[in-house]
């Protein structure tokens, strides 16, 4: 499958309304209004759920601070990791204030996973020592999107004691690009009630040209979000 998306012309046609509403002289790489987000430089756009809004960097920090169950042995490394992580280049959330987790969508730009597997390289060395030049039966390589998610959930599990994977990565297609998704849950602390709330997490990796989009969506059992409908409206050039 190609990772080229739907093509530049169809992509721009999908967002003709917002493009037509802005004078050509004022067109920028990123265009937004109350219903749409379009990033012409990265070639991604989507419809914003009704009443949702964009999230500031400060609010993203507040959400991260209320994740419950950090592995105490990794507390320092986790904080260092958060400090070094790239922030999502766009994040939106529902306006509800009933729970600190809310319904959110965060989109990150990530590099493709390395095609060099150090474990596989070690097996090659051992095999050569034992069998010389006899070819070995190679393991099946994970598709790129699945490998990206495998790295993601392993990292989350090592950092968060309350992180639970409910479905492992599986292949899907998003806007004509190869992708994969998995689901999980994690506990958030609600500072308003000092209670803990289970938050559902759905993460998607989309292979697009020279990079990967990592999309993380959250909701709560008491306030579900139509993940499928949102994903179906993502367009990739």
């Amino acid at each position: 499958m190609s990772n080229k998306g739907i093509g530049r012309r169809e992509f721009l046609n999908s967002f003709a309304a917002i493009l037509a509403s802005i004078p050509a002289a004022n067109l920028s790489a990123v265009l937004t209004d109350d219903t749409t987000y379009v990033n012409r430089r990265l070639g991604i756009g989507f419809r914003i759920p009704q009443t949702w809004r964009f999230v500031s960097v400060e609010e993203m920090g507040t959400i991260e601070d209320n994740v419950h169950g950090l592995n105490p042995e990794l507390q320092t490394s986790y904080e260092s990791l958060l400090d070094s992580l790239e922030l999502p280049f766009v994040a939106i959330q529902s306006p509800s204030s009933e729970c600190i987790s809310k319904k959110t969508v965060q989109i990150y730009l990530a590099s493709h996973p390395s095609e060099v597997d150090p474990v596989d390289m070690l097996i090659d060395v051992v095999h050569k020592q034992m069998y010389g030049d006899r070819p070995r039966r190679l393991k099946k390589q994970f598709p790129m999107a699945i490998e990206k998610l495998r790295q993601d959930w392993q990292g989350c599990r090592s950092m968060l004691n309350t992180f639970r994977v409910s479905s492992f990565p599986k292949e899907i297609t998003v806007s004509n690009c190869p992708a994969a998704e998995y689901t999980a849950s994690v506990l958030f602390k609600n500072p308003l009630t000092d209670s803990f709330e289970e938050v559902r997490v759905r993460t998607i990796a989309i292979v697009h040209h020279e990079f990967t989009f990592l999309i993380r969506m959250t909701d709560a059992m008491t306030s579900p979000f139509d993940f499928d409908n949102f994903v179906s409206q993502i367009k990739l050039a």
Side-chain angles (χ1 to χ4, degrees):
M1 176 184 296
S2 169
N3 62 353
K4 303 299 184 183
I6 59 177
R8 195 74 179 175
R9 177 175 296 180
E10 185 175 344
F11 173 78
L12 295 176
N13 286 341
S14 299
F15 302 104
I18 187 173
L19 292 172
S21 67
I22 301 174
N26 296 332
L27 283 177
S28 61
V30 178
L31 306 173
T32 63
D33 62 18
D34 292 338
T35 64
T36 310
Y37 172 90
V38 182
N39 190 315
R40 298 192 300 156
R41 179 174 298 164
L42 297 179
I44 183 172
F46 55 84
R47 306 297 178 187
I48 301 171
Q50 190 174 10
T51 74
W52 282 40
R53 64 182 180 83
F54 292 98
V55 184
S56 68
V57 173
E58 290 78 10
E59 289 172 299
M60 287 299 304
T62 300
I63 292 174
E64 296 288 359
D65 288 342
N66 286 280
V67 178
H68 176 65
L70 295 181
N71 188 332
E73 298 179 357
L74 298 173
Q75 179 72 38
T76 301
S77 61
Y78 178 81
E79 291 173 352
S80 299
L81 178 63
L82 282 182
D83 289 340
S84 64
L85 281 177
E86 292 290 337
L87 291 170
F89 65 83
V90 61
I92 57 175
Q93 72 176 23
S94 65
S96 172
S97 59
E98 296 175 357
C99 60
I100 189 61
S101 59
K102 301 184 176 65
K103 291 176 280 191
T104 69
V105 176
Q106 304 157 31
I107 305 181
Y108 302 79
L109 189 64
S111 60
H112 291 325
S114 173
E115 296 181 1
V116 179
D117 186 338
V119 175
D120 205 44
M121 292 174 64
L122 178 60
I123 293 174
D124 273 336
V125 172
V126 173
H127 183 276
K128 188 172 184 64
Q129 290 175 343
M130 295 179 63
Y131 302 105
D133 294 328
R134 184 195 307 177
R136 74 179 180 91
R137 183 178 298 174
L138 296 175
K139 68 172 187 174
K140 181 180 179 181
Q141 296 294 324
F142 282 111
M144 196 175 291
I146 287 184
E147 174 63 15
K148 193 68 178 180
L149 292 187
R150 185 184 69 84
Q151 295 172 2
D152 183 76
W153 67 256
Q154 286 184 340
C156 290
R157 282 205 314 185
S158 68
M159 291 291 180
L160 299 170
N161 290 331
T162 64
F163 189 85
R164 298 289 183 269
V165 175
S166 50
S167 69
F168 290 98
K170 65 177 183 180
E171 293 181 76
I172 61 172
T173 301
V174 177
S175 192
N176 204 38
C177 288
E181 67 175 6
Y182 79 96
T183 59
S185 65
V186 68
L187 291 183
F188 271 68
K189 183 178 181 179
N190 189 331
L192 302 178
T193 62
D194 206 31
S195 61
F196 297 109
E197 178 177 3
E198 183 177 82
V199 173
R200 300 190 303 177
V201 184
R202 181 173 174 181
T203 306
I204 297 177
I206 308 172
V207 179
H208 182 247
H209 296 283
E210 294 80 25
F211 45 81
T212 298
F213 288 119
L214 192 69
I215 302 177
R216 202 180 305 281
M217 300 171 287
T218 67
D219 72 358
M221 294 292 292
T222 55
S223 181
F225 171 45
D226 191 345
F227 294 132
D228 289 333
N229 182 58
F230 176 81
V231 173
S232 69
Q233 298 187 59
I234 295 174
K235 303 297 181 183
L236 300 167

